[in-house]
Amino acid sequence: MMSITPDAVNKSSDAATMPKPLALADVPAEKMPRHIAIIMDGNGRWASHRGLPRIEGHRRGADVVRCITEECARLGLEQLTLYCLSSENWKRPVEEIAFLMQLLELYMAGERPLIMEQNIRVSVIGRREGIFESALREMDQTVTMSAQNTGMRLCLAINYGSRTELVDACRHIAHEVRSDRLCPDEITEETIAANLYTAGMPEPDLLIRTAQEMRVSNFLLWQISYAEIWVTDLFWPEFDEALLHTAIRDFASRDRRFGGLGKAN
Ligand code: IPE
Ligand code: IPE
Ligand code: MG
């Protein structure tokens, strides 16, 4: 297995401190998404198409995570949620899993200065079981250190599966009922939402998926009920700020009806 150097995820970015021209000035503030969620797919295929090992794709994917996080914070988004590892991804070869754990550890440690500099609050959703101890340590430290930050929330879905999230929520609600703290008839949509890992977070307005697939792969099934979906054929390592702007412009042009009647009526 190839090893990764801290440089791979710890490039100090001069661009982060340089003022940039205001992107998306043409999009009215009320048309901007508050919360974007991304299924970052296609790292392996990006690498395979170049005759590189799959892990090269993950390494490049981590660079894109930095770039897109920075841009979303700069645009003033309230939240960015990134699907980093699904509860089904454990089916992959042990070498790939080991690399992803190593990358996670280095990302959590290496990105801390940039996260603090950009006033980003990091949250993690998913089950802790299976995540390597060394990665958990760095993850916890980044979450704790950034907890008081007041800028964009960066929510990382790691060992996340929407079905396990719903199972965990049901278990918790069942315990509440059994101990007479909750009456079954009082269970509402708000009760469910408040028992998900994402309790207190806004629902995604825009769901982006890279690498062509037209599926949600067990991601935020409850929370994306009314998200606008935007897909691209490009692989995650090819995703960039310009493409993010394209997705946001497309989102801004849509008529979100939420089951009601649109503007044309
Ligand atoms: C997404 O890229 C990253 C993870 C799921 C960890 P993939 O690794 O799924 O890349 P493809 O879809 O096989 O190309
Ligand atoms: C979804 O990608 C999970 C992440 C991006 C972390 P997958 O590559 O695991 O999804 P499938 O297997 O194509 O549905
Ligand atoms: Mg994939």
Side-chain angles (χ1 to χ4, degrees):
M1 192 188 88
M2 286 174 69
S3 68
I4 46 180
T5 61
D7 275 359
V9 287
N10 192 24
K11 275 195 286 190
S12 86
S13 159
D14 290 342
T17 51
M18 284 201 298
K20 293 184 188 170
L22 187 62
L24 296 175
D26 52 316
V27 176
E30 69 276 10
K31 287 281 187 183
M32 282 291 289
R34 283 173 71 192
H35 179 183
I36 296 179
I38 308 183
I39 302 175
M40 309 181 290
D41 198 15
N43 290 351
R45 277 167 283 169
W46 177 88
S48 302
H49 288 192
R50 284 160 183 76
L52 299 168
R54 287 179 57 83
I55 57 171
E56 257 330 294
H58 296 313
R59 199 200 305 267
R60 286 292 284 262
D63 291 339
V64 178
V65 165
R66 179 188 308 110
C67 155
I68 295 304
T69 300
E70 202 177 303
E71 181 60 5
C72 286
R74 208 180 58 80
L75 290 171
L77 241 70
E78 199 173 314
Q79 183 165 331
L80 171 67
T81 298
L82 300 175
Y83 204 4
C84 304
L85 188 77
S86 82
S87 49
E88 287 72 35
N89 286 148
W90 300 106
K91 295 171 186 167
R92 297 186 177 202
V94 285
E95 295 79 16
E96 184 166 341
I97 294 290
F99 183 83
L100 288 170
M101 290 295 135
Q102 203 184 351
L103 190 58
L104 175 61
E105 182 185 336
L106 284 173
Y107 170 85
M108 286 294 179
E111 294 303 295
R112 229 174 265 139
L114 221 62
I115 283 165
M116 297 309 289
E117 188 185 301
Q118 293 172 0
N119 194 22
I120 290 170
R121 177 162 55 129
V122 177
S123 304
V124 175
I125 55 171
R127 284 190 178 169
R128 294 170 70 88
E129 291 86 354
I131 309 284
F132 288 13
E133 275 301 323
S134 49
L136 281 178
R137 260 198 307 277
E138 299 298 345
M139 193 171 98
D140 291 345
Q141 201 175 325
T142 299
V143 169
T144 306
M145 194 179 277
S146 69
Q148 304 306 322
N149 286 350
T150 54
M152 185 183 77
R153 184 178 216 159
L154 173 63
C155 175
L156 301 171
I158 298 170
N159 189 16
Y160 174 87
S162 199
R163 289 180 176 182
T164 47
E165 178 182 37
L166 286 163
V167 167
D168 287 348
C170 288
R171 283 184 188 161
H172 188 252
I173 292 168
H175 281 297
E176 293 287 292
V177 169
R178 194 172 60 180
S179 55
D180 283 336
R181 284 194 293 268
L182 184 66
C183 167
D185 292 339
E186 287 169 357
I187 297 172
T188 61
E189 290 188 13
E190 286 71 30
T191 317
I192 310 271
N195 281 280
L196 298 174
Y197 306 149
T198 52
M201 299 179 187
E203 289 180 0
D205 300 299
L206 171 59
L207 173 70
I208 294 174
R209 181 162 188 155
T210 57
Q212 215 170 15
E213 313 298 356
M214 296 288 184
R215 54 178 173 259
V216 289
S217 302
N218 203 12
F219 189 45
L220 301 174
L221 301 182
W222 173 279
Q223 298 89 336
I224 60 167
S225 295
Y226 269 104
E228 295 296 324
I229 299 174
W230 192 88
V231 295
T232 172
D233 287 355
L234 293 176
F235 300 128
W236 177 248
E238 297 168 316
F239 197 79
D240 62 11
E241 295 170 21
L243 215 54
L244 176 73
H245 297 165
T246 303
I248 292 176
R249 278 204 186 84
D250 190 345
F251 169 84
S253 73
R254 297 193 193 175
D255 184 15
R256 300 183 82 190
R257 292 188 286 279
F258 298 97
L261 297 181
K263 293 204 187 70
N265 292 282

